[in-house]
Amino acid sequence: MHWWLPLKASTFAGPIDGLFIAILIITGIAFVVVEAGLIWFIVRYRRRPGRKAFYTHGNARAEVIWTAIPAVTMVALGVISNHYWVQIKGRNSIPPNAYPIAIHAKQFEWQITYPGPDGRLGTADDFTVRNQLHVPVGQPVVVHLSSEDVIHSFYVPQLRVRQDVVPGMDIKAWFQATVPGDYELACSQLCGMGHYKMRARVTVHTQADFDAWMKQAAQAGTGGTGS
Amino acid sequence: MHTAQPHKHPNYLLIWLYLFLLTVAELGLAFELPISRNMKLILLLFLAVWKALLVALFFMHLKFERWNLRILAIVPLPLAAILILAVITEHIW
Amino acid sequence: MTTAAAPHAAPHAGHAPMGFWRKYIFSTDHKIIGIQFLFVSLFFLLVGGFLAMQIRWQLGFPGRPMPGGGILPETMAPGGVILPEYYIQLVTMHGTFMVFFAIMPLLVGVFANFLIPLKLGAHDMAFPRINMWSFWTAFLAGMIMLAGFFVPDGAARAGWTSYAPLSARPDLSGASYGQMLWCISLVCLGLSSILGSLNYITTVINNRAPGMTWFRMPLSVWALFITAILGLLALPVLSGAAIMLLFDQTIGTHFFDPAAGGQALLWQHLFWFFGHPEVYILILPAMGMVSDIIANGSRKPIFGYHSMVFAIVGIAFLGWMVWGHHMFVSGMNPTLGSTFMVSTLIIAVPSAIKVFNWMGTMWRGNLHFHVPMLNAVGFVAMFVIGGLSGIYMAATPLDMFIHDTYFIVAHIHYVLFGGSLFALFGAITYWYPKMFGRVMSERWGKIHFWLTLLFYNCTFFPMHIYGMGGAMRRIYDPTQYDFLRPYQPLNQFITISAFLLFATQLIFFVNFWWSLFKGKKAEQNPWHDNGLEWTLPSPAPHGNWERVPTVYRGPYEFSSPEVAEDYLPQTRKLPTDREPVLAPVAGA
């Protein structure tokens, strides 16, 4: 059993996991200060006969300090986070050479349409596959997300990518895989009775393997409806 | 804490009837009038504000209250504006 | 004749003796109404707990027949094996019952009603009859929600957040009447909340005793007052949205259905615009009562009283501007995401201020660890964890990974159980003598606290790990996923801890009910506290005071150098005190 975040398999994983660790350090310090402080007070100031408590209504300087430090920390965190947020989700952040794949979510499967040998979606050589996402390593990929019915969510933990798929909206999400391997795509927004099994296999290929798979799959025109 | 101006009780039933008639007007306008959709929206918004004012002035008694209570009632409006603004920016995007 | 639950009627001007129904069932006495909320909400807390036990059974032992599950109908659990469609009902109704029918009414329905007039020196609420209606509409709402399990197709199953279009389309969700009843129940509950809020706000503004200035009010009352404002403004948005959803479900409107020009995200904006203030409704009263209890247990004034008030107001105000943090990956405009991230990070600051002030109160105190104090300090220790875990979600890129995982479930339960529920255990124990004229068993209260603390952390802390591993929420069978199968031992550990946690709550329930009849009779001021309610007999009589008391100081004058005792009641007049200048008070 894994006790930490999943394998880092995309270019987002570095910044996202780095943010996690930064926050872990900040919250860890706060946690220790508060909990150790509480335990210390519980022991040191427990009632003793004949003792009286120290009569005070507060301390303005303390208030300023313990307001300023959290405030400054939060603002700094916000600035750092926003930098990566824009990089990942900004509309203008999708790399122009990103390889397009159309993913149409429906209860309870993923219909994945590849652009075929010409590399463009919406042309005659597109083909659709059910519940199998194949991407090349080291190449930005942009998924065009659409939904047939209710809200679903496109989620591959190792790639650190998640985007809700909303009926009536065409949403693009991009990522770049860094480690070849077999992963899983899970639906991450309750979409009905079959939500728990709305799963797809994700295969990150080396470029060569990906080209080979593409050639073979395009010829076979495997399964599902057209795009 | 504060006293309202001494006033004759408004006829609450009459105000209710007034609201009912305005609602009938809204329905008629929405379903029957052969005007453009945008025109309908503007007129419906106008009627909705008219009804809200009737409720605020008479059922909420604000017509007869002091200015500070009227200000209090207006205070949540910026919140509503924020929500509407957020939803509109969504749509534009 | 007195049953343990009844405050005996003291002579009170202008009342003919009332029959049983007027006195205890259709009562307009704020204390009785508070107790009615208490009994009914404790019942719904149990209901929510039972639903949770079934969820945990399925997650710990997927597909295995549940002990006792044979009594469930075939449509839910044939042979005791939970079906996927029943599982999502469990998940939905657990959240719904716990948020709307347990925690919210326990904090607000019980304590706003019981404490506000008592702590302010009023005979009752500003509008006693509206108060009665507030309880009965809440009760009706609860019955309507329960009915969901007994209608054709079963209960609502789109999550307690009821996202559209899943919740609007019976053909897509599988639930028809159940999903409609969910909407109707919440409209009813919204009415109850709004009526209650009107009362609490008016009473606090108008019905304070002479000398009870704003900054002499206890923090419990401040918190309940601000919470009432939040409720007044937020619940109408939920009711409006629920009515729109009901129309989509029944009369053919398409507010949320994109197939006919509607917008799926509109539901989320409306729901969370309500939903985020709602979660502050679920924590602020707890924070207020914890302040009262910690000051009492430390025998020290609350540290930074004014800062605490401003922090409550700050949290409430900022709480209106953070709702989008529930929607970072929803497809919402990313620029909106940035603005919500900033506001969400900022709202951590007033909560931090409160934690440090509670610690400041305990610092150099003379700490008495009675059961309420144990629970109040437990609140601080656990709420801190819940609050800190929120920072991970506020960092938007990280939220992309954490959203809709068990990390969120851990956060929710640390603030709602570790926070609100511990505070409630403390508050119920603390004001029990004033409610019922008896005390709960101290020994069993301590045993309950320590066992709960242990099993609660064993249940919910591992969920952080599970979520970090990427485990999604609301999944009927996690073993479908290769990457989740290795976590099953963790799920089993959580499940067994949850069973032990639930069993431990029986100690509280037995203590509560048994003490009603057999508990030690309570003295007037068992905790040596300063608030106005402790100047009345235990239990407090109908009408509270013959004559409204006068207030000379704030509520936290513990260990004051002016007196020999370590407490100094608000109403005790010292030779150096002057009478307050009386402003005209309406309806005292």
Side-chain angles (χ1 to χ4, degrees), chain A residues 1-6 12 16 19-20 23-24 27 30-31 33-35 37-38 41-42 45-48 51-59 62-63 66-67 70-71 74-75 77-78 81-82 84-86 88-91 107 149-151 155 157-158 160-164 166-169 171 184-193 195-199 201, chain C residues 84-85 88 157-159 163-166 172 258 264-265 268 298-304 307 328-331 334 338 341 345 349 353 355-357 359 362-369 380-381 384-385 388 391-392 395-398 400-405 465 468-470 472-477 480-483 486-487 490 557-561 563-565:
Chain A
M1 195 190 92
H2 207 55
W3 289 89
W4 194 247
L5 300 161
F12 295 157
I16 288 178
L19 250 169
F20 185 90
I23 296 177
L24 186 60
T27 54
F31 174 80
V33 164
V34 173
E35 305 291 2
L38 280 175
F41 290 172
I42 289 169
Y45 300 116
R46 67 188 310 121
R47 82 204 267 190
R48 278 189 288 279
R51 255 195 63 209
K52 218 172 186 197
F54 173 55
Y55 178 75
T56 176
H57 288 99
N59 180 307
E63 300 289 347
W66 64 47
T67 305
M74 292 299 108
V75 169
L77 199 52
S81 299
N82 196 55
Y84 292 115
W85 172 242
V86 170
I88 295 171
K89 284 292 186 205
R91 222 184 342 161
Q107 289 178 324
D149 37 41
V150 297
I151 300 180
Y155 173 52
Q158 292 86 347
R160 307 287 191 278
V161 61
R162 176 189 264 105
Q163 176 55 55
D164 279 9
V166 183
M169 289 175 78
I171 302 175
E184 288 162 292
L185 160 62
C187 178
S188 165
Q189 182 65 245
L190 180 62
C191 57
M193 188 172 87
H195 169 62
Y196 73 101
K197 49 184 169 118
M198 190 163 158
R199 173 184 172 270
R201 301 219 81 90
Chain C
E85 49 265 62
I88 49 180
R157 65 197 66 170
Y163 278 13
L166 181 67
L172 297 176
L265 285 187
Q268 290 183 48
S298 306
R299 313 312 291 164
K300 253 187 91 197
I302 201 86
F303 197 95
S307 298
F328 283 144
V329 295
S330 64
S338 297
M341 175 182 67
L345 286 170
V349 177
I353 291 174
V355 169
F356 293 128
N357 276 298
M359 291 178 72
M362 291 171 68
W363 169 72
R364 292 184 71 180
N366 192 20
L367 308 179
H368 288 48
F369 283 104
V380 178
V384 156
I385 299 177
L388 290 175
I391 296 177
Y392 294 81
T396 327
L398 191 48
M400 271 176 50
F401 179 72
I402 292 179
H403 177 74
D404 250 322
T405 65
I465 312 283
M468 276 164 67
M472 301 78 67
R473 290 172 74 171
R474 297 164 170 169
I475 297 288
Y476 165 73
D477 180 10
Q480 295 279 318
Y481 295 86
D482 298 337
F483 79 99
Y487 290 95
L490 189 69
E557 295 303 295
F558 295 102
S559 302
S560 165
V563 290
E565 304 86 10

Side-chain angles (χ1 to χ4, degrees), chain A residues 195-215:
Chain A
H195 169 62
Y196 73 101
K197 49 184 169 118
M198 190 163 158
R199 173 184 172 270
R201 301 219 81 90
V202 180
T203 313
V204 176
H205 298 270
T206 59
Q207 190 64 55
D209 282 348
F210 180 76
D211 295 333
W213 174 82
M214 171 66 63
K215 202 142 120 219

Side-chain angles (χ1 to χ4, degrees), chain C residues 218-238:
Chain C
L219 287 171
S220 49
V221 177
W222 265 111
L224 288 163
F225 173 67
I226 301 292
T227 298
I229 297 177
L230 286 181
L232 186 67
L233 298 178
L235 267 305
V237 179
L238 175 70

Side-chain angles (χ1 to χ4, degrees), chain C residues 299-539:
Chain C
R299 313 312 291 164
K300 253 187 91 197
I302 201 86
F303 197 95
Y305 171 85
H306 287 84
S307 298
M308 289 296 245
V309 173
F310 296 137
I312 293 174
V313 173
I315 290 171
F317 176 75
L318 286 170
W320 288 102
M321 293 178 249
V322 299
W323 84 88
H325 69 224
H326 302 272
M327 295 170 63
F328 283 144
V329 295
S330 64
M332 175 176 74
N333 183 343
T335 312
L336 273 182
S338 297
T339 56
F340 282 121
M341 175 182 67
V342 171
S343 52
T344 304
L345 286 170
I346 305 255
I347 206 171
V349 177
S351 295
I353 291 174
K354 293 190 82 70
V355 169
F356 293 128
N357 276 298
W358 284 315
M359 291 178 72
T361 307
M362 291 171 68
W363 169 72
R364 292 184 71 180
N366 192 20
L367 308 179
H368 288 48
F369 283 104
H370 46 59
V371 172
M373 180 68 164
L374 280 174
N375 281 287
V377 178
F379 166 94
V380 178
M382 295 301 107
F383 172 76
V384 156
I385 299 177
L388 290 175
S389 67
I391 296 177
Y392 294 81
M393 297 148 212
T396 327
L398 191 48
D399 184 67
M400 271 176 50
F401 179 72
I402 292 179
H403 177 74
D404 250 322
T405 65
Y406 260 79
F407 200 91
I408 308 280
V409 178
H411 166 74
I412 297 171
H413 288 90
Y414 262 86
V415 287
L416 283 176
F417 191 133
S420 307
L421 198 52
F422 271 103
L424 280 167
F425 291 143
I428 292 173
T429 309
Y430 198 71
W431 279 288
Y432 193 93
K434 201 52 62 185
M435 287 181 184
F436 304 116
R438 299 194 187 248
V439 288
M440 290 173 71
S441 158
E442 167 111 6
R443 199 227 268 120
W444 286 106
K446 292 192 169 171
I447 294 174
H448 168 255
F449 169 74
W450 288 110
L451 286 179
T452 300
L453 189 68
L454 172 66
F455 294 136
Y456 152 84
N457 278 296
C458 288
T459 304
F460 295 108
F461 198 85
M463 291 186 185
H464 292 106
I465 312 283
Y466 193 38
M468 276 164 67
M472 301 78 67
R473 290 172 74 171
R474 297 164 170 169
I475 297 288
Y476 165 73
D477 180 10
T479 63
Q480 295 279 318
Y481 295 86
D482 298 337
F483 79 99
L484 290 182
R485 231 174 279 124
Y487 290 95
Q488 276 310 103
L490 189 69
N491 261 325
Q492 280 170 3
F493 175 79
I494 294 174
T495 293
I496 305 218
S497 306
F499 290 162
L500 291 169
L501 178 64
F502 186 68
T504 307
Q505 302 322 301
L506 295 178
I507 300 179
F508 178 83
F509 275 87
V510 169
N511 191 358
F512 182 89
W513 291 103
W514 187 90
S515 303
L516 282 180
F517 303 100
K518 296 290 211 274
K520 200 173 66 153
K521 284 253 163 62
E523 43 180 274
Q524 183 175 299
N525 191 357
W527 313 109
H528 294 186
D529 196 273
N530 300 326
L532 267 54
E533 72 271 33
W534 306 107
T535 66
L536 290 170
S538 299

Side-chain angles (χ1 to χ4, degrees), chain A residues 102-143:
Chain A
I103 301 187
H104 189 64
K106 75 185 279 282
Q107 289 178 324
F108 298 101
E109 63 181 23
W110 302 94
Q111 292 174 350
I112 302 178
T113 301
Y114 295 87
D118 73 346
R120 283 182 19 237
L121 279 176
T123 56
D125 64 350
D126 295 356
F127 62 94
T128 302
V129 168
R130 270 174 47 222
N131 295 331
Q132 282 185 56
L133 177 61
H134 295 262
V135 296
V137 74
Q139 157 75 36
V141 171
V142 56
V143 290

Side-chain angles (χ1 to χ4, degrees), chain C residues 155-225:
Chain C
R157 65 197 66 170
W160 85 275
T161 49
S162 192
Y163 278 13
L166 181 67
S167 55
R169 299 269 302 270
D171 55 319
L172 297 176
S173 67
S176 52
Y177 299 107
Q179 208 66 53
M180 292 181 221
L181 288 176
W182 189 92
C183 293
I184 296 171
S185 166
L186 288 187
V187 172
C188 225
L189 188 74
L191 179 63
S192 165
S193 255
I194 292 166
L195 291 176
S197 291
L198 291 174
N199 239 326
Y200 313 143
I201 294 170
T202 309
T203 308
V204 170
I205 294 178
N206 277 356
N207 293 18
R208 284 172 281 130
M212 179 63 80
T213 60
W214 283 96
F215 287 116
R216 284 180 180 170
M217 289 197 325
L219 287 171
S220 49
V221 177
W222 265 111
L224 288 163
F225 173 67

